[in-house]
Amino acid sequence: MEENENSKDWVDRIWRAFSSMKMGLALLGIIALVSGIGTLIPQSEQDPEKAKAVGQLWQTLGLTHLFSTVWFRLLLGLLCINLIVCSLQRFRGIYRQTFKLSPPSNLARVPQKNRRVVKGEGTVLRESVQEFLKQKGYRFMFSDQSDQWSFTAIKRRFGNWGSFITHLSFVVLVLGALLGSVLGFKGYFMEGAGKTFPIQGIELSKGNVSETFSVRINSAEDRLLPNGERDNWYTDMSILENGQEVARKTLSVNHPFNYKGITFYQANFANGAHFTADMNGQKTPVVLREQGQNYFQAPGTELYLIATTIMKTSSSQKAGVLYQVYKGTGAEPVQSGQLTSGQTIDVQGTYRLTFDGTAGFTGLQVKKDPGVVIIWLGCALLVGGLLLAFYWQPVVISGILIPENGTQGTLTVGALSGKATSSSHDALEQFVNYVAN
């Protein structure tokens, strides 16, 4: 018995702690402070090189990938629990204010801050009250008690839910952020036309890839307008499942490609060259980026081929490329030169190399965020809650008639309208002017 009481006492303490507004404000302050630190310290997701230069202590604490750390997610989770508990505590009261309002049983139950008194014949006053409430669109209820009657009326009653929905929206936003952080991922790749690779092989800045499909870059173009200005970067890509093409689309800047919740965004573009390496009759396609940003190592050799410069093509000129061949760890090239489209050379007597033409390299950002739909829902709830809270505040009018001298009586009436005191004052003045006349 004592153990049950102790466990109940602990539950009550935990409930009171999480239902505290002070705790919610403290958590918000801590999260705001930590987020501010995250804007000052380079994050590995945005700037990996600068993040690596940050002190080892800060990296160990997770400050270079702050928003994906366990302790930051824990802070968000605690805030979410606090908001849920606070909302649950308020739910019953808001529900009663919306659907369970009852007429006052005595004068003490009539709002006192904004109160007026009207005298007259009881039956006439009741009819006037009913007519006014119907005309103004109030939902009302009357209660008869022997020699007296009372009423309560409400207009724009769903405005009571504005603050509740606003608090709920923050819960939804936090859940959406947590879901995207835990189950989503963000990555990047730059590959040349004709390349096929598994989605799990991309460079990730956060999360893990569970999908197993492959991506094929069919083509990558840097298109120019007739006046020489850039049109856009275009990437024709395919999704392969078990070696079979299941989806294909040409994407460009501001026109992403979405497949099973994974979105590909056009980020950048680089020029490249397409070669064919012929070694003992075995031909291998090779695609190299300009400025030596990748290389081709001939199988079984220490020869490394790079493309240094790509020459643009014109209607009267073939495409051209400047190349260099390095051996081992040597700092100077052992062979270099220029090739035009279709030209073949011998590389150090080891293999033959044919320049087939230019080839674009596309840089794509890849993102999966299963929480984005929930975040949009949270944003919609936030806007709706704020609109209800500020522009649809409920007005409650209630009163009680105390009979005097037979059929005569005194109607004491009051009005409430949340924090909008002017609304309740105006509503009460309209009510009294109509009923009294």
Side-chain angles (χ1 to χ4, degrees):
M1 185 72 176
E2 186 177 348
E3 290 183 2
N4 291 335
E5 290 179 357
N6 289 335
S7 68
K8 184 177 181 181
D9 183 55
W10 273 106
V11 170
D12 290 340
R13 288 183 183 182
I14 294 173
W15 182 268
R16 285 196 300 270
F18 279 103
S19 63
S20 169
M21 185 177 293
K22 291 181 180 180
M23 181 179 184
L25 292 175
L27 287 170
L28 281 173
I30 295 172
I31 291 172
L33 176 63
V34 171
S35 299
I37 294 174
T39 63
L40 297 176
I41 296 179
Q43 299 295 298
S44 56
E45 296 178 10
Q46 282 79 34
D47 199 332
E49 295 303 320
K50 288 185 178 180
K52 291 178 181 178
V54 175
Q56 186 61 44
L57 174 62
W58 309 120
Q59 293 185 42
T60 304
L61 292 175
L63 295 182
T64 55
H65 54 279
L66 191 151
F67 303 105
S68 59
T69 57
V70 174
W71 56 268
F72 185 79
R73 292 173 181 172
L74 179 61
L75 284 174
L76 291 178
L78 291 175
L79 177 61
C80 187
I81 294 173
N82 175 258
L83 291 171
I84 292 173
V85 172
C86 289
S87 298
L88 288 175
Q89 280 201 318
R90 299 187 59 200
F91 179 83
R92 182 178 297 179
I94 296 174
Y95 182 84
R96 286 178 178 175
Q97 292 174 9
T98 306
F99 302 107
K100 297 293 184 179
L101 282 177
S102 58
S105 56
N106 52 60
L107 284 174
R109 302 292 297 276
V110 177
Q112 299 182 18
K113 290 186 177 180
N114 195 18
R115 178 187 282 191
R116 297 288 298 274
V117 174
V118 181
K119 294 186 177 183
E121 202 275 321
T123 304
V124 175
L125 286 175
R126 180 166 181 155
E127 291 176 354
S128 298
V129 169
Q130 289 178 330
E131 290 175 3
F132 174 84
L133 297 176
K134 288 179 180 178
Q135 287 181 14
K136 297 299 181 179
Y138 285 84
R139 295 174 65 90
F140 58 89
M141 177 186 299
F142 277 81
S143 174
D144 294 296
Q145 303 173 13
S146 62
D147 57 347
Q148 66 184 33
W149 55 266
S150 61
F151 77 95
T152 187
I154 185 171
K155 181 168 65 173
R156 299 195 294 269
R157 58 178 178 157
F158 289 105
N160 285 317
W161 296 89
S163 61
F164 181 87
I165 293 174
T166 301
H167 282 84
L168 180 63
S169 70
F170 286 108
V171 175
V172 175
L173 287 170
V174 171
L175 290 175
L178 287 173
L179 183 62
S181 177
V182 174
L183 300 181
F185 70 84
K186 185 177 181 181
Y188 171 84
F189 68 83
M190 175 168 274
E191 296 291 351
K195 183 69 177 293
T196 301
F197 57 94
I199 188 65
Q200 293 183 343
I202 68 173
E203 180 182 347
L204 292 175
S205 57
K206 72 171 185 179
N208 295 289
V209 181
S210 59
E211 288 75 11
T212 58
F213 63 81
S214 297
V215 176
R216 182 176 66 210
I217 306 300
N218 301 309
S219 66
E221 299 179 68
D222 180 12
R223 296 182 190 174
L224 301 177
L225 297 171
N227 61 5
E229 294 181 359
R230 174 167 283 109
D231 174 13
N232 208 329
W233 295 322
Y234 294 91
T235 301
D236 180 3
M237 61 173 287
S238 298
I239 303 296
L240 307 179
E241 296 267 14
N242 298 320
Q244 300 296 317
E245 183 180 86
V246 294
R248 182 172 181 171
K249 183 177 179 179
T250 299
L251 62 151
S252 58
V253 177
N254 297 325
H255 295 85
F257 176 24
N258 185 278
Y259 178 73
K260 291 186 177 180
I262 299 177
T263 306
F264 298 83
Y265 300 90
Q266 184 73 57
N268 49 23
F269 179 89
N271 292 313
H274 188 275
F275 302 88
T276 299
D278 186 349
M279 192 171 185
N280 300 323
Q282 184 174 354
K283 296 183 178 181
T284 303
V286 178
V287 183
L288 299 178
R289 285 171 62 185
E290 191 177 28
Q291 299 178 350
Q293 296 189 49
N294 65 337
Y295 62 86
F296 167 68
Q297 180 182 7
T301 74
E302 293 185 336
L303 298 176
Y304 299 90
L305 171 72
I306 65 170
T308 58
T309 305
I310 308 296
M311 272 80 78
K312 298 289 185 179
T313 60
S314 64
S315 57
S316 60
Q317 188 178 22
K318 289 185 177 182
V321 60
L322 297 179
Y323 72 92
Q324 292 179 339
V325 180
Y326 291 81
K327 185 173 183 180
T329 58
E332 297 297 326
V334 296
Q335 183 176 338
S336 61
Q338 177 178 338
L339 294 174
T340 57
S341 182
Q343 186 177 355
T344 301
I345 60 167
D346 181 83
V347 179
Q348 299 294 297
T350 304
Y351 65 93
R352 296 182 63 77
L353 182 72
T354 301
F355 173 46
D356 299 315
T358 59
F361 273 75
T362 185
L364 300 182
Q365 288 185 350
V366 190
K367 185 176 181 181
K368 178 182 180 182
D369 189 352
V372 68
V373 175
I374 297 177
I375 289 176
W376 278 112
L377 174 61
C379 291
L381 288 173
L382 178 60
V383 173
L386 292 175
L387 289 174
L388 284 175
F390 288 102
Y391 299 103
W392 201 252
Q393 293 195 351
V395 177
V396 178
I397 299 177
S398 59
I400 185 169
L401 182 107
I402 306 299
E404 298 175 355
N405 302 323
T407 60
Q408 298 296 309
T410 299
L411 176 62
T412 303
V413 61
L416 293 172
S417 184
K419 295 181 180 180
T421 55
S422 59
S423 298
S424 60
H425 181 270
D426 294 343
L428 187 58
E429 288 299 317
Q430 291 178 5
F431 177 89
V432 171
N433 291 335
Y434 186 91
V435 173
N437 297 325

